[in-house]
Amino acid sequence: MNELLTEVIEAHGGNARWRRLTQARATLVSGGHLFAVKGLPQDPAPREMTVLLHEEHASVRPFGSPDQKTDFTPGRVSIDKLDGRLVAEREDPRSSFSGHTLETPWDALDRAYFNGYALWTYLTTPFLLAMPGFTVTEIEPWREGDQLWRGLRATFPPEIASHSTHQDFYFGSDRLLRRHDYHVDVAGGFAAAQYVYDCVEADGIVLPTKRRAYRCDADGHPTLDEVMVSIDLSAVHFS
């Protein structure tokens, strides 16, 4: 394993602890300009997010109505009643984004897919980078004010759904995550820089509880006057 990735994983709780865990739950409040552009402005109501840690599977509830939840895997996304009845589903959901631009409206299943892969990625970072199929290399550090953050570039395997194939992760001197860069392929491929804050320890795992994503230019500098996506997590529990 890459030396920096080894240090990063240890700083976030360590592989030994991670391997003993199977899922994460968190209370989620999200928002941002992206959802308004997509015709699905996000209300500030809290929701419960559940993800499996060692396979890409996620669910959020409520979704659309108080008695509904989502069920996400890379190959299928659905909206279900809490009693198990199917509301809507889509096989091969990634293909539905073909030809999308930033302004292309999303339907509820598009939103469920985006929510599923994004939160799975965030709740499993940085441990997912050590999963089979990932290629990770150290890149030039990012200077943020008077700080220098070391970086890792990850190539995601095709079976893992996420923002884009190549994503960059930057870490402070304590080896905790500070920034996550990617292209949002399901929204026209715009470049994003996501800053993370307020790390907590939950059941031995260290993770940020606030994320703010911005569009950025070709040099990686963010446009800070418009938050594209905001995510606040609380009541995080790993088991």
Side-chain angles (χ1 to χ4, degrees), residues 72-145:
F72 158 83
T73 64
R76 177 183 178 273
V77 65
S78 68
I79 302 168
D80 306 310
K81 294 294 185 183
L82 297 183
D83 64 10
R85 288 177 293 151
L86 180 67
V87 176
E89 69 176 331
R90 180 169 293 151
E91 303 286 344
D92 187 22
R94 192 73 171 212
S95 64
S96 71
F97 297 95
S98 178
H100 275 215
T101 67
L102 176 59
E103 293 77 21
T104 305
W106 280 352
D107 63 21
L109 287 169
D110 292 330
R111 173 64 196 271
Y113 176 82
F114 175 81
N115 182 86
Y117 84 65
L119 269 296
W120 183 84
T121 299
Y122 304 153
L123 285 167
T124 60
T125 297
F127 302 95
L128 83 167
L129 302 180
M131 291 177 66
F134 280 80
T135 301
V136 180
T137 57
E138 187 162 1
I139 56 176
E140 288 296 313
W142 175 261
R143 181 167 294 281
E144 187 78 18

Side-chain angles (χ1 to χ4, degrees), residues 1-10 136 138 150 152 175:
M1 189 188 301
N2 175 283
E3 181 180 350
L4 177 56
L5 179 57
T6 299
E7 295 174 6
V8 163
I9 285 177
E10 286 304 309
V136 180
E138 187 162 1
R150 289 177 68 181
L152 291 173
R175 299 298 181 257

